[in-house]
Amino acid sequence: MVSPPPGAAAAAVAAARAWLRVGPAPRPLMGSQGGLGPPGDGGPGEGEGEGESGETRKLQEGRAARGKRRKGKGKGKAGAGQGGRGSGAEGKPQPPQAKEAAGLGAEAGERAGLGKVREGGGSVEEGARRIFRGDEGSAGARKEAKGRDDGKKEEWRVRTGQREEARPARAQGRGAQAWGRLAGTGAAMAAAAEEEAGAREPAGRPAAGPALLRLPEELLLLICSYLDMQALGRLAQVCRWLRRFTNCDLLWRRIARASLNSGFTRLGTDLMASVPVKERVKVSQNWRLGRCQQGILLKWKCRDGKIGVHKIHSTFTVKYSAHEQEVNCVDCKGGIIVSGSRDRTAKVWPLASGRLGQCLHTIQTEDRVWSIAISPLHSSFVTGTACCGHFSPLRIWDLNSGQLMTHLGGDFPPGAGVLDVMYESPSTLLSCGYDTYVRYWDLRASVRKCVMEWEEPHDSTLYCLQTDGNHLLATGSSYYGVVRLWDRRQRACLHAFPLTSTPLSSPVYCLRFTTRHLYAALSYNLHGLDFQTP
């Protein structure tokens, strides 16, 4: 390699010393002649160059050794060496920038082979050039290393953030590994639950498909409102979006109002708003087809002429003597109890806890009372008697004063006692009894004649009845505990359910039902019919 001119080399050396900030320039290295050996010359200056080269090598080796020691302690940076004074002895510490620059320069000089130069004249200049080249290379390497460090730190932050989100708290101490496994299991379960919930959620409206799917929802609702139950069921099988759409209560409300025991009254009032209409329509098909499961819920044996008040989900029970003979019927509405007995009286009682057992009114009916019901307006009540006198068995009384208001019908034969009566609205009521008929009365039309009637097919006495307020009617017969279901839009009975056998034949004394179950009280037990899971 051709060495640069002596002047350029001297300038480079001066610039290198100023950049490295290694303190004042070293003392002149004396040759064997006692004077400075000009660099690059032969002859006498060669020995002086060799002395200068040896001193430089020792200085660089010392710096490299100190850098290695600091690196071994883990306190210094890459290539850290501390610059001292010009003679090579350690001086006072320099600023951090000087330390880093000196260390990098020393490392670069060592890599460049400053200490291995065998020619005295060109060693300093060559070393300076290698220092500059090593510094440029070290700067690039430093930037690359910094980039790698930044990338690792960012990756560590991301991973740490993911771990923090995946588990509620960082595990510490000896239980860290176990907690990590537990948190991982919880995170997996949560992810599975989210995935299952996403699967249950209906998909959005398809972007492509038949033109029917691209119609506005209001127009699609109008079109689907003309479909029957089977057509809506098939439409729900097309896609998830249509399945969600066809579950809308608006589409099933019209069908539900025409179904049996779906929770809608004749006027359209929804009595079961918390239950989806589609589910109620499904159960109503079991009522129409007579599909159910039967079972006995309670058994008893008691005829003591007492009234019992029981608190639901509690052991609270109060019994008090109400009549001189058997209590045949009771009704309770608006904090008032009315009772009827074989002793030919009807009584009104308060339901307030402090006044239980205190009779408000005693009404002489002059006939045995078989049935009783309070009006929905809580202003009157009706009694059904044995029809053994010369008056109608159906009479309406004022609840506050106990005075007779009116009587229903005028063509009852003697002995056609009314065994059950119920209000369907303030102006309509139903009755049944010994004459084997169910009669429907509308007080707005006439109090002398019923507007509709249904006859028991086996000519059996009808002990009780119950209605859903719309189309379904249930009756209890006197023989074998037979419960019959009727559609009030038809004359014929839909289904019959015998609840007792011949040795245990008993009338059905009371009926109640919901949209899913029917309950029938016989002489010694309470039967339940489940129409939800037939």
Side-chain angles (χ1 to χ4, degrees):
M1 177 181 293
V2 179
S3 61
V13 171
R17 286 174 178 170
W19 186 81
L20 294 175
R21 299 188 180 187
V22 294
R27 290 174 296 177
L29 300 178
M30 304 301 294
S32 59
Q33 302 288 334
L36 279 172
D41 293 341
E46 184 177 355
E48 294 152 0
E50 290 176 359
E52 182 181 356
S53 176
E55 287 263 344
T56 304
R57 185 166 58 254
K58 289 181 180 180
L59 178 62
Q60 299 298 333
E61 289 176 356
R63 291 176 179 172
R66 288 196 298 273
K68 290 180 180 179
R69 286 198 300 272
R70 291 181 180 178
K71 188 183 297 184
K73 291 182 180 180
K75 296 181 180 180
K77 294 184 179 180
Q82 183 175 355
R85 302 237 176 212
S87 62
E90 289 185 15
K92 294 183 180 180
Q94 300 296 324
Q97 295 86 351
K99 293 180 182 180
E100 183 178 0
L104 290 172
E107 184 180 0
E110 185 180 358
R111 288 198 306 268
L114 268 176
K116 295 182 181 180
V117 177
R118 290 183 174 87
E119 296 183 8
S123 61
V124 177
E125 294 83 350
E126 185 70 21
R129 287 193 297 271
R130 291 178 181 176
I131 284 174
F132 287 123
R133 289 196 297 269
D135 180 65
E136 294 175 358
S138 64
R142 188 165 61 251
K143 291 181 180 179
E144 183 179 357
K146 184 178 180 182
R148 288 197 300 270
D149 292 342
D150 291 344
K152 291 181 179 179
K153 289 180 181 178
E154 184 65 25
E155 182 180 0
W156 181 82
R157 289 194 194 99
V158 172
R159 291 181 179 177
T160 305
Q162 291 176 350
R163 289 197 298 270
E164 292 296 333
E165 292 177 359
R167 52 191 178 194
R170 185 178 297 278
Q172 295 181 358
R174 299 175 61 183
Q177 185 176 1
W179 174 253
R181 289 196 298 268
L182 182 60
T185 304
M189 293 175 63
E194 290 180 1
E195 182 179 355
E196 183 178 358
R200 287 197 303 266
E201 291 180 359
R205 180 183 291 211
L212 180 68
L213 301 181
R214 296 193 292 271
L215 292 175
E217 288 196 9
E218 295 80 4
L219 184 56
L220 194 56
L221 278 172
L222 179 61
I223 294 174
C224 293
S225 65
Y226 293 97
L227 301 180
D228 58 9
M229 182 172 53
Q230 289 77 13
L232 282 176
R234 295 189 187 101
L235 186 62
Q237 298 174 359
V238 174
C239 64
R240 295 175 62 188
W241 187 85
L242 281 176
R243 182 177 63 185
R244 179 194 66 83
F245 183 80
T246 54
N247 284 338
C248 178
D249 285 351
L250 292 176
L251 292 177
W252 293 92
R253 186 180 295 270
R254 176 185 57 84
I255 300 174
R257 292 186 62 179
S259 301
L260 295 177
N261 196 23
S262 60
F264 286 89
T265 64
R266 187 180 296 270
L267 299 177
T269 304
D270 191 355
L271 303 178
M272 304 285 293
S274 60
V275 182
V277 180
K278 182 179 179 180
E279 298 300 322
R280 286 182 270 167
V281 171
K282 289 182 180 179
V283 177
S284 73
Q285 302 308 304
N286 295 331
W287 289 86
R288 183 178 64 86
L289 299 174
R291 296 183 301 209
C292 64
Q293 288 185 356
Q294 300 183 21
I296 297 177
L297 305 179
L298 291 174
K299 293 184 178 182
W300 60 78
K301 179 183 275 189
C302 181
R303 291 184 181 180
D304 54 9
K306 295 181 179 180
I307 293 177
V309 179
H310 304 270
K311 189 174 183 179
I312 300 176
H313 306 303
S314 174
T315 57
F316 175 80
T317 301
V318 175
K319 289 186 178 181
Y320 52 88
S321 297
H323 294 270
E324 297 178 359
Q325 297 185 29
E326 293 180 5
V327 177
N328 292 328
C329 53
V330 292
D331 194 13
C332 176
K333 282 187 180 72
I336 295 294
I337 299 175
V338 292
S339 61
S341 171
R342 292 176 64 94
D343 62 5
R344 303 185 179 189
T345 62
K347 295 185 179 183
V348 181
W349 313 82
L351 192 57
S353 58
R355 303 178 62 188
L356 282 176
Q358 300 178 9
C359 181
L360 298 179
H361 302 292
T362 299
I363 301 167
Q364 300 296 329
T365 61
E366 301 179 0
D367 202 355
R368 290 170 292 180
V369 181
W370 298 122
S371 57
I372 200 165
I374 300 176
S375 167
L377 299 179
H378 306 160
S379 59
S380 61
F381 68 95
V382 60
T383 58
T385 58
C387 194
C388 295
H390 300 286
F391 42 80
S392 171
L394 282 173
R395 286 176 286 179
I396 298 177
W397 310 82
D398 185 87
L399 190 60
N400 297 320
S401 63
Q403 299 297 317
L404 178 65
M405 296 175 63
T406 186
H407 58 85
L408 305 178
D411 55 353
F412 286 95
V418 176
L419 296 179
D420 196 10
V421 61
M422 67 167 292
Y423 276 95
E424 193 174 41
S425 71
S427 56
T428 59
L429 63 153
L430 291 146
S431 65
C432 67
Y434 284 113
D435 62 353
T436 71
Y437 278 92
V438 176
R439 289 183 171 89
Y440 180 62
W441 305 85
D442 191 338
L443 304 182
R444 298 164 299 183
S446 173
V447 295
R448 298 300 178 187
K449 187 173 179 62
C450 66
V451 295
M452 194 169 183
E453 59 186 21
W454 297 267
E455 185 180 7
E456 213 280 335
H458 290 173
D459 201 26
S460 299
T461 300
L462 296 176
Y463 269 70
C464 59
L465 59 85
Q466 184 67 22
T467 177
D468 65 345
N470 197 3
H471 301 303
L472 181 66
L473 175 66
T475 60
S477 302
S478 59
Y479 295 115
Y480 310 117
V482 175
V483 175
R484 296 186 183 275
L485 298 182
W486 306 74
D487 188 341
R488 292 168 62 178
R489 295 165 293 189
Q490 305 173 11
R491 289 285 185 178
C493 170
L494 286 178
H495 302 286
F497 303 95
L499 302 181
T500 61
S501 57
T502 303
L504 300 175
S505 179
S506 167
V508 180
Y509 289 105
C510 184
L511 280 175
R512 293 293 183 271
F513 57 76
T514 65
T515 57
R516 300 175 180 177
H517 301 87
L518 184 145
Y519 304 97
L522 279 68
S523 296
Y524 304 108
N525 45 41
L526 176 66
H527 288 256
L529 279 69
D530 184 358
F531 288 86
Q532 183 180 12
T533 55

